[in-house]
Amino acid sequence: MTHDVIALAQALIQRESVTPEDAGCQQMMNDRLKAVGFNIESLFFTDTLNTWARKGTQSPHFCFAGHTDVVPTGPAQNWQHPPFSGLVKDGMLHGRGAADMKGSLAAMLVATERFVAKNPDHKGSISFLITSDEEGPFINGTTRVIDTLEARGEKIDMCLVGEPSSRDVLGDVVKNGRRGSLTGFLKVKGIQGHVAYPHLAQNPIHLSSEAITELSQTVWDEGNEFFPATSFQVSNINGGTGAGNVIPGELEIQFNFRFSTEVTHEQLQARVNAILQKHKLNYELSWIVNGLPFITEHGPLVDATVSAIKSVTGLTTNLETTGGTSDGRFIAQTGAKVIELGPRNATIHKVDECVSTDDLIALADIYEQILENLLT
């Protein structure tokens, strides 16, 4: 007999919810949440379906957050098994979203059903914030739901995002924060000309080289006990006409900071401008703040999670802030304590994405124990 967590994960995987499509995943979850006492709100913004489901009105308010959308599969013939089959073979559940993050959604829901059945009069509130645009432009998903909640004064106290945080074995890593992400788009202007007459032109590639070197070698901060030092990386450079005998008139450079709580994005922007001006460049610069850093220190949420992992797996987990960004950054800005805990991330976004069925079953046990630790 298939375990309830695995059966639900299979059913979710079999829905082709490539971002920003939800393909009925949220309705499937909502029907089960409504059956155990949740009030369901469907919030649709432009092209994105979101769910806000809540049981209870009191504090502490604990939220499970996640996404039903998945990244594209690429050519299906490259997969060992059809990417939306949800096939279980040799103890592994296969399919796009198995690890990121339909497996976590199934574990969250089943854990909540079991917890509510055992504790119908539990204290506080439980909610689910589910979106279908986390893998896309993240414009009309979690951030818009948070805006809606903030406008009506509805606060989340603690949030667990089901992103695949584990590295080698289930529960070995919990993300208790994330670095900020800041992207710069730099255009350096020169004067186009013939390579044989450089005195009649200004080569923006040559003009920019010392500034880029200085930016890449600058120590922006030293980090702290939770975060590594802020990093600067050039990701794209584009200049030239394609002809070998033309000095380009413009150079376009894209770069990114992953930054700690030791520095603000405003400070980084100011320091970059100072370096560019020091090198007397004629430039235009625009910015996108992809996310601000956040940290959840030891307290009820972290302690409940560490204890639950120890109880179910025997592991002493590691708290880390490495990796990219997640929707947790939008929730953390409201003052909520946020962590990320999910299955192993070894196959996420890859061909033949898969997850251990034993891990998903254990993950549901961990999630249920977290609810027990916090709300009983």
Side-chain angles (χ1 to χ4, degrees), residues 91-108:
M92 302 297 292
L93 170 61
H94 295 264
R96 177 58 86 222
D100 187 14
M101 57 171 287
K102 291 180 175 180
S104 294
L105 293 178
M108 290 173 177

Side-chain angles (χ1 to χ4, degrees), residues 233-310:
Q233 288 293 315
V234 173
S235 54
N236 288 283
I237 291 183
N238 184 46
T241 65
N245 60 351
V246 179
I247 294 170
E250 292 183 343
L251 175 68
E252 295 181 343
I253 302 171
Q254 183 178 345
F255 57 86
N256 180 266
F257 285 100
R258 293 302 164 104
F259 62 102
S260 75
T261 50
E262 292 295 305
V263 65
T264 67
H265 67 278
E266 293 94 347
Q267 290 171 330
L268 291 172
Q269 290 170 353
R271 292 176 67 183
V272 169
N273 274 300
I275 290 171
L276 297 176
Q277 291 165 13
K278 169 186 168 184
H279 290 277
K280 297 181 172 56
L281 297 179
N282 180 11
Y283 69 94
E284 296 175 359
L285 180 57
S286 61
W287 302 91
I288 293 179
V289 180
N290 305 298
L292 299 176
F294 70 90
I295 190 70
T296 297
E297 301 185 39
H298 276 282
L301 178 59
V302 169
D303 294 346
T305 302
V306 169
S307 173
I309 292 170
K310 184 74 170 180

Side-chain angles (χ1 to χ4, degrees), residues 33-56:
L33 289 170
K34 187 175 181 179
V36 293
F38 280 75
N39 179 55
I40 309 295
E41 288 183 71
S42 291
L43 302 170
F44 188 83
F45 301 111
T46 308
D47 61 353
T48 300
L49 181 64
N50 306 282
T51 289
W52 174 247
R54 183 168 178 175
K55 179 181 182 293

